[in-house]
Amino acid sequence: MKRIEFLGSPMDVATMEETVSYIEQRVSAGGFLQHVVVNVAKLVNMQKDPQLAESVKSCDVINIDGMGVVWGARLLGHRVPQRVAGVDLFHNLLAMSERNNFPIFLLGATDDVVKKTVAKSHELYPNLNIAGFNDGYFWDDEEALVDKIAQSGAKLLFVAITSPKKENFINKWQDKLGVDFVMGVGGTFDVVAGKVNRAPLWMQNSGLEWFYRVLQEPRRMWKRYLVTNSKFAWLLLKEKLGS
């Protein structure tokens, strides 16, 4: 996979197929592989949060999630074949894990949502080995949770916690998690569990998935997207004028 520098951040420009194949090879070989997807909000927040920036840049695979970043990278002359959305990659990796009998661990969201995610995952992938799961409210004893993951025998860990908490948690504990692959999946469990609906495909491809989120959760989302999208446009403009 080719890696580029975009607004001071490294990113891998790869297709979904290339990403899944690479992860499958690395997990089969053993070791440790850390993955993250970057969208507009995360890229903007990395400019002012050194800890988040370091957590992201230390990852082995950094995919572009969000059409805004894809279009921005292309505007600056980078060849980006496609967006690799976190929720789509999650499903592809569950299917890959089922084929290879790789045990997985699901971490994050509320207790109800993570249990529904486990049930839905078993429904979609009947032979999937789910070695364990836990909600995202463990901050009073992180070490006990890390031990639980390490003792589960899982090879892949999916962390559905908001940024920058998930990136910093993974970066902090990576040497003790005992897994071969870890990926932050943000709000993916909410989608899988049916708590949040995903935007129609035409909105995803048109870069309007963020707007669909605002329509579903206007109080929580409107300010976040207004601020981050405006800052991202300004960063792009400065980079374009300076190039």
Side-chain angles (χ1 to χ4, degrees):
M1 289 187 292
K2 180 182 177 183
R3 179 159 287 196
I4 64 171
E5 282 286 329
F6 176 57
L7 298 181
S9 302
M11 296 181 189
D12 293 297
V13 288
T15 64
M16 178 69 73
E17 184 179 345
E18 289 169 338
T19 301
V20 174
S21 177
Y22 179 72
I23 293 170
E24 183 174 17
Q25 292 171 19
R26 289 288 300 268
V27 173
S28 298
F32 181 79
L33 181 69
Q34 186 176 350
H35 176 278
V36 69
V37 291
V38 176
N39 56 22
V40 166
K42 191 175 297 180
L43 190 59
V44 168
N45 291 330
M46 285 169 62
Q47 309 300 313
K48 62 181 181 181
D49 187 337
Q51 186 178 6
L52 173 62
E54 175 57 32
S55 295
V56 170
K57 291 176 182 180
S58 67
C59 291
D60 303 285
V61 180
I62 307 171
N63 281 131
I64 299 176
D65 183 359
M67 287 305 298
V69 180
V70 172
W71 290 336
R74 289 173 179 171
L75 178 67
L76 298 183
H78 299 294
R79 183 186 173 276
V80 180
Q82 67 176 167
R83 166 195 183 199
V84 179
V87 63
D88 295 328
L89 180 57
F90 174 74
H91 279 292
N92 275 273
L93 291 177
L94 291 195
M96 182 274 290
S97 297
E98 182 185 41
R99 289 195 306 271
N100 290 279
N101 194 30
F102 292 154
I104 72 165
F105 195 104
L106 302 175
L107 170 64
T110 64
D111 184 64
D112 179 59
V113 166
V114 72
K115 286 178 178 176
K116 286 181 178 177
T117 301
V118 169
K120 187 65 176 179
S121 298
H122 275 311
E123 178 185 329
L124 294 172
Y125 312 99
N127 296 315
L128 180 65
N129 181 356
I130 300 181
F133 63 90
N134 203 91
D135 63 49
Y137 300 89
F138 55 85
W139 303 105
D140 56 335
D141 196 348
E142 291 183 46
E143 193 163 4
L145 184 278
V146 170
D147 288 341
K148 179 180 178 179
I149 296 169
Q151 292 170 19
S152 72
K155 280 183 171 289
L156 291 89
L157 168 64
F158 299 96
V159 183
I161 299 171
T162 57
S163 293
K165 280 187 175 182
K166 67 176 176 293
E167 290 85 4
N168 295 338
F169 168 79
I170 294 167
N171 196 45
K172 175 182 177 181
W173 294 103
Q174 57 179 288
D175 294 334
K176 296 186 177 180
L177 290 168
V179 297
D180 296 320
F181 172 83
V182 59
M183 172 185 176
V185 294
T188 293
F189 291 2
D190 287 340
V191 175
V192 175
K195 180 182 177 182
V196 174
N197 294 322
R198 196 170 180 200
L201 188 60
W202 72 267
M203 294 188 81
Q204 297 176 37
N205 294 335
S206 301
L208 293 173
E209 196 162 11
W210 65 271
F211 183 62
Y212 192 80
R213 289 289 306 278
V214 172
L215 292 178
Q216 290 191 88
E217 302 178 89
R219 284 190 173 185
R220 190 168 77 89
M221 292 294 182
W222 76 268
K223 187 175 181 180
R224 167 187 162 182
Y225 283 115
L226 175 64
V227 172
T228 55
N229 287 357
S230 298
K231 288 183 177 179
F232 181 69
W234 175 239
L235 287 171
L236 275 180
L237 179 61
K238 288 198 300 182
E239 188 75 15
K240 185 67 176 177
L241 293 175
S243 60

